[in-house]
Amino acid sequence: TQLLAPTKQKKTKNTEKMVLYIIGLGLGDEKDVTVRGYELIKSADLVFLEAYTSILCIDKTKLEEYYGKSITVADRNFVECEADQIYLPAKTKKVALLIVGDPVCATTHTDIIIRAKEEGVPVEIVHNASIMGAAGSCGLQLYNFGQTISIPFFEENWRPTSFYPKIKYNRGGGMHTLCLLDIKVKEPDFEAMARGRTVFLPPRYMSVNTAAEQLIEAEETLGEGAFSPTETLCVGLARLGQTDQVIIAG
């Protein structure tokens, strides 16, 4: 009689990699995502949409319908105070963070990448079109751009001009300046908060006209000749990548 020892069943390890995917959505609509980005979103366990540094001109529900996924919107408070809820789950799950434009054009996203890697979370970036490249559609050569600046909304008691020296430096070197205009979404109403109520102010999006007015005020205040309010050529770009984009020079 031959005795056969029972064969041991080999345990197969789950070798599927858990990753934080940071995926650029481009500048248009839900269909501007790359094929690779689309496939990663479809395979993700959790999907977040960063809605602080830029705004996609379609509703979140259109993204959910197209990608077949429930999407959590990460507003300013979420991104600044609760970002660990984005990258920590990527230790055990596939997480996709969707970024309007390209993922590496804002320091906010770089900070999330650094913090995720400090926690030992693998990060993969899927690039896409952004304003940093699309600005060339106005006819100015990208090679001739200097430092990019941000122009924040002036408030009654806060009128920062930290962008002014950078414009002066760029123009001194014969370079163009890309000016990114401020957006205010889900900003707290501090007067209401002082009365114990959590209220958010209506969204505000800086127009080219407002930016021009603030640039003129900065020149009049500092008077260092960085540009001339009456002679310097400026180009206004709005909604690049959209079907109704506008480019006007003057």
Side-chain angles (χ1 to χ4, degrees):
T1 303
Q2 187 178 11
L3 298 178
L4 297 177
T7 57
K8 292 183 178 180
Q9 296 292 327
K10 290 185 179 180
K11 292 183 178 179
T12 57
K13 292 183 179 179
N14 182 8
T15 58
E16 192 175 18
K17 185 169 61 171
M18 299 299 106
V19 180
L20 170 62
Y21 297 105
I22 303 185
I23 302 169
L25 295 181
L27 300 171
D29 55 24
E30 71 277 13
K31 296 181 181 179
D32 270 21
V33 69
T34 65
V35 174
R36 179 165 179 263
Y38 176 79
E39 291 175 346
L40 292 174
I41 295 169
K42 294 285 285 186
S43 68
D45 300 306
L46 296 173
V47 182
F48 296 90
L49 172 64
E50 190 271 293
Y52 166 37
T53 59
S54 189
I55 300 296
L56 197 63
C57 295
I58 58 170
D59 193 74
K60 177 186 75 124
T61 55
K62 290 199 73 173
L63 295 180
E64 292 179 324
E65 290 171 3
Y66 188 72
Y67 302 140
K69 290 287 182 178
S70 175
I71 297 175
T72 300
V73 174
D75 57 22
R76 177 176 182 174
N77 181 70
F78 197 105
V79 171
E80 291 186 340
C81 304
E82 302 172 23
D84 57 347
Q85 294 187 37
I86 297 174
Y87 58 80
L88 289 182
K91 290 186 174 183
T92 57
K93 299 178 180 179
K94 285 185 177 181
V95 179
L97 173 60
L98 312 184
I99 307 294
V100 179
D102 186 85
V104 294
C105 290
T107 54
T108 299
H109 312 140
T110 304
D111 178 65
I112 291 176
I113 293 169
I114 292 172
R115 290 163 66 180
K117 291 190 173 183
E118 287 175 346
E119 290 287 340
V121 174
V123 178
E124 290 189 19
I125 297 171
V126 181
H127 296 284
N128 209 320
S130 79
I131 183 60
M132 307 298 279
S137 61
C138 73
L140 300 177
Q141 291 298 317
L142 294 177
Y143 289 109
N144 296 329
F145 276 81
Q147 298 180 69
T148 298
I149 66 156
S150 297
I151 301 179
F153 276 112
F154 283 180
E155 306 293 345
E156 183 178 357
N157 298 313
W158 187 68
R159 309 180 86 75
T161 56
S162 56
F163 54 81
Y164 183 91
K166 295 181 180 180
I167 298 176
K168 183 179 179 182
Y169 176 86
N170 288 347
R171 285 181 56 77
M175 296 177 286
H176 313 307
T177 304
L178 176 61
C179 306
L180 306 178
L181 309 189
D182 199 6
I183 60 174
K184 298 286 189 184
V185 179
K186 208 172 181 182
E187 292 287 310
D189 185 334
F190 293 109
E191 292 185 4
M193 290 178 68
R195 295 192 293 270
R197 295 168 53 230
T198 301
V199 178
F200 297 102
L201 298 170
R204 290 193 296 159
Y205 309 96
M206 182 180 289
S207 67
V208 171
N209 286 347
T210 298
E213 291 169 357
Q214 294 189 182
L215 286 168
I216 292 171
E217 180 180 325
E219 179 59 56
E220 291 175 344
T221 301
L222 300 175
E224 297 178 15
F227 46 85
S228 168
T230 58
E231 297 179 5
T232 300
L233 176 66
C234 294
V235 184
L237 305 96
R239 300 180 299 282
L240 283 190
Q242 305 291 319
T243 55
D244 62 345
Q245 71 173 30
V246 176
I247 302 174
I248 297 178

